Amino acid sequence: MKKTLLIFIAVSFFAGTVSSQNVPAFPAADDSPAAAQRASERMTWLERLWHLAAETNGDVLSAQHTYESACLSLSTLGGAYTPSVTTGASSSVPDGYGWNECPDSLSASVSVTQPLPGGTSIGVTGAYALNAATAYDTRWVSQVPDVAFTLSQSLYPFYAQGKLRNPERLSLQQKKEYYYNQLLYVKQQKLETVAQYYILSLIYRKKMEMYEASIAYAHEQLDALDELRKSGGANMVRIAELESSRMSDEQNLADVRVTYRQYVQYLKEACGSFSGEPEETGLPQDGITSALALTGGVHDPCAQALLLKIDILKTAVILAKQSGAPVLTLSLEPAWTLETVKASDWQSAWNRDADSTCTWTAGVSLNMTPLISSLVSKTGESEKIETRSAQDAYDAYMKQKETVREQYELLRMSFEEQRTGAEKLCTDADNLAADMKKQFEAGAVSQLDYDAVRVQVRIRHASLECIRLYVWLYSWLEQMTG
């Protein structure tokens, strides 16, 4: 923002409707073609360019895709809590194996783990192993079933930190809002850029008209002096002065024309693209309302995004504390033993009788690795630094914003003062032109003298219009920055 402001400050001191073929119509509320056409006709050229930039500018489209990706991440948060399922099985069989026979070996397992918010995880694992061995010409089979239940829990979940909302969901919601405000901020920047380049294009076109009028009058004077020269009554020094002045104006016109073409090109790039040249169809009476309609009604999306950045980092700190805490795991495993039987009777080992017993094994473990890793990497300190940096960025932005707003205010006031003087000059020139017209019609003054006054009127009115354009621009920028 500051860089753009300085450019236009320098330009200031050194110094419409679009056809339907050039700018597409934008649909009204009912989306009907007739309503869209009426809405398009009511727009000024600048408002149409704003719509075009908000819909087709590459930076805006990129920010839109980023926001849509954040929306998708939030809508698919449930995927982070889907259970993980792992299964496996293997077996070896002898030659001539029949499907009703006992294999040489068999192993199978299934594991299901369900993650939950707050660093909680529930797991169930089931396994089965079978092995056959031959002893004294008899095949014996031993079987080992196994089931285990586990519960793992971070010792510093978000609710233990005094937070009620799941930080994983909260973080995604904050990121969604952050990227939405980033999208609005990109749009706001493009709207300001379009307004500046549009106004400057009009101003430099006015300057071209001023130089063209001055050059045309210089040619008229030279033609008159040339006629006098033929009769020996011309002042050669005056002719040389006029030639020098005309050449200087032509060079200035060429420079202004190049600058005008550059601003038109910049304007087209900011808008995505449009054909032709900008037309002057008046400026929006309520430019702020028109602009805010394209930025979701948010007046300062950059400040909102910076505040959300701080909130995102604070939420990340909660998650980091949760994931960096030791993990307590409780396990419960029922165990029972199947007797070793002959291969021909291997299925009978599953038959329970009154003497069969089952024992339960409970276990507790504490994983300190997350805590040690967090301490070694100094994650907490890094997050504090990032949070302070984000807060400093917000504070710096607010200070810079106030400085820029004050500069816009000073420029507006300066041009308003110039406008008062320029209006008086235009009034004086208009009165003089009216008097000169009467004298010219009465034959009291020459055509050349009358044309000189008319040129001055045209130049002064063009200069006044340039000042008015600057006043509108800096008034609008001041409100947009306020």
Side-chain angles (χ1 to χ4, degrees), residues 157 181 194 262 283 342 359 373 446:
N181 280 278
V194 167
Q262 288 177 337
L283 296 169
K342 294 180 180 180
T359 59
S373 176
S446 66

Side-chain angles (χ1 to χ4, degrees), residues 23-56 294:
V23 178
F26 301 97
D30 59 5
D31 287 338
S32 66
Q37 181 64 27
R38 289 193 299 271
S40 177
E41 291 173 354
R42 289 194 297 269
M43 290 182 185
T44 63
W45 178 282
L46 178 57
E47 289 173 307
R48 294 189 180 200
L49 293 182
W50 279 343
H51 279 271
L52 190 61
E55 294 183 359
T56 63
L294 295 172

Side-chain angles (χ1 to χ4, degrees), residues 10 15 27 174 182 190 223 286 293 337 350 408 411 437 450 452 477:
Q174 290 170 337
Q182 282 285 81
K190 297 308 173 184
D223 289 341
D286 191 356
T337 303
W350 288 90
Y408 284 144
L411 285 169
K437 182 179 180 181
Y450 179 48
L477 288 173

Side-chain angles (χ1 to χ4, degrees), residues 8 18 23 45-54 56-57 189-202 205 259-280:
F8 288 99
V18 183
V23 178
W45 178 282
L46 178 57
E47 289 173 307
R48 294 189 180 200
L49 293 182
W50 279 343
H51 279 271
L52 190 61
T56 63
N57 180 270
Q189 287 182 308
K190 297 308 173 184
L191 297 184
E192 293 180 3
T193 300
V194 167
Q196 290 168 335
Y197 285 142
Y198 174 73
I199 295 297
L200 287 174
S201 297
L202 298 183
R205 191 156 63 192
T259 303
Y260 168 73
R261 295 296 179 191
Q262 288 177 337
Y263 284 134
V264 172
Q265 183 60 37
Y266 295 154
L267 182 60
K268 290 183 178 182
E269 292 173 358
C271 292
S273 182
F274 66 88
S275 58
E277 296 184 1
E279 296 182 11
E280 185 175 3

Side-chain angles (χ1 to χ4, degrees), residues 374-403:
S374 177
L375 293 175
V376 171
S377 61
K378 297 183 180 180
T379 304
E381 294 182 15
S382 299
E383 290 166 346
K384 290 179 182 178
I385 293 173
E386 291 178 358
T387 303
R388 286 199 302 268
S389 177
Q391 183 65 54
D392 291 343
Y394 172 76
D395 295 339
Y397 167 77
M398 295 304 293
K399 291 180 181 179
Q400 181 189 20
K401 173 185 172 182
E402 182 60 25
T403 300

